[in-house]
Amino acid sequence: MSESQRFQLGTVGALSLSVVSSVSIVICNKALISTLGFTFATTLTSWHLLVTFCSLHVALWMKLFEHKPFDARAVMGFGILNGTSIGLLNLSLGFNSVGFYQMTKLAIIPCTVLLETLFFRKRFSQNIQLSLVILLVGVGIATVTDLQLNVLGSVLSLLAVVTTCIAQIMTNTIQKKFKVSSTQLLYQSCPYQALTLFIIGPFLDGLLTDQNVFAFKYTPQVLFFIVLSCLISVSVNFSTFLVIGKTSPVTYQVLGHLKTCLVLAFGYVLLRDPFSWRNILGILIAVIGMVLYSYYCTVENQQKASEASTKLPEVKESESDPLVGVENGSGILADGVAQKAPVWNSNKDLHA
């Protein structure tokens, strides 16, 4: 099996792991929050990250991956930013209607495209843009119900969108720049994310729920679902970094909307949640957008790979970057945009 085929197989595996683990944790958390009344989402996320770090530390002790220290300031800034973005998303949900919160999540894709176009000079073809518009319209129809605006909620949503976009772009660029795997980056950034959320979590949860997380009655059933949620979160956090590292922040957001559609469907089938023709129509339109996005990305990647292979004989031996890109499956996985992707050992390698 060639390096390109291995890379593609690894990408498909990462996408599948992300979908399965994210849908699973949403169903688990829904039972924990809606049925058992444990509404402390931010604090729960800090526990997720703490368990993830402990799991990775055990994996490191077992020599399943190699520890690779790099720029400490970049790791600290990235970890704190990631934790802050999660807290802001939870605040956005608390101070806005559900419909406006869904609009906030939809805004992440166009914001990411704008930031990558302005600061990274990435180009998204008209076909890719059209497929993203179809996807967003479909998800909007399926999930957005009411739009109640307020100044504080709007400011929090804007901050949540910007920090989330920057954090996801950094997840991709840090792995490329420092040549670290998703596991290595997650292992080093997890403590900062967990500490940030552990400090602000009880305060935010108390502000949003008027309850104290430490005064909550932890029954055996609640503890079981908390432990289960934390265990699933290891896979969620790992697959998130893996997907963004292997593809792009925009592709990860497209995958996130696929998870939203699956959660709606599973909620209807398993939990008998209310389901209307509007939900069905929105999901169908969203799926069409996802299929078109995948198709156009594949076609454009093949075209760029073909162009790269024809230009390869002309490249001087001293110019190693293009060779690195070809070795790693032409380095073209970011929404139809060629990238110089460094080679790293990624085969050892949340908030759904």
Side-chain angles (χ1 to χ4, degrees), residues 49-236:
L49 291 165
L50 180 61
V51 172
T52 299
F53 174 74
C54 293
S55 302
L56 290 176
H57 194 70
V58 172
L60 179 64
W61 178 74
M62 296 174 65
K63 297 183 179 180
L64 296 179
F65 72 96
E66 179 183 355
H67 180 46
K68 184 178 180 181
F70 57 99
D71 192 338
R73 288 184 299 177
V75 175
M76 181 182 297
F78 169 71
I80 293 175
L81 180 64
N82 245 332
T84 303
S85 69
I86 294 172
L88 286 170
L89 280 171
N90 288 339
L91 278 175
S92 173
L93 177 59
F95 284 91
N96 289 302
S97 64
V98 175
F100 191 82
Y101 173 72
Q102 290 296 339
M103 288 297 296
T104 299
K105 292 176 67 176
L106 291 178
I108 293 176
I109 283 185
C111 182
T112 302
V113 170
L114 178 63
L115 290 177
E116 290 196 309
T117 301
L118 292 177
F119 296 102
F120 294 89
R121 298 180 180 178
K122 291 183 65 174
R123 294 182 179 179
F124 298 86
S125 68
Q126 291 184 349
N127 289 333
I128 294 293
Q129 294 176 29
L130 176 61
S131 64
L132 290 175
V133 169
I134 295 174
L135 165 67
L136 294 177
V137 169
V139 176
I141 292 174
T143 61
V144 177
T145 53
D146 59 323
L147 290 177
Q148 299 175 9
L149 304 180
N150 64 81
V151 176
L152 178 59
S154 299
V155 171
L156 290 172
S157 294
L158 177 62
L159 292 175
V161 169
V162 173
T163 53
T164 300
C165 292
I166 295 175
Q168 292 183 358
I169 291 173
M170 287 181 66
T171 302
N172 183 275
T173 55
I174 286 177
Q175 291 185 54
K176 300 293 191 293
K177 179 178 180 180
F178 296 102
K179 299 182 180 180
V180 293
S181 69
S182 55
T183 305
Q184 292 167 332
L185 177 58
L186 181 59
Y187 175 71
Q188 295 188 63
S189 63
C190 246
Y192 299 107
Q193 296 183 61
L195 182 62
T196 301
L197 291 176
F198 191 78
I199 292 174
I200 67 175
F203 170 74
L204 291 184
D205 290 333
L207 180 65
L208 296 173
T209 65
D210 291 326
Q211 298 182 55
N212 187 346
V213 64
F214 301 109
F216 187 80
K217 184 178 180 180
Y218 292 89
T219 64
Q221 193 175 13
V222 170
L223 291 174
F224 170 79
F225 276 98
I226 289 176
V227 172
L228 180 61
S229 179
C230 288
L231 292 176
I232 299 175
S233 73
V234 177
S235 177
V236 173

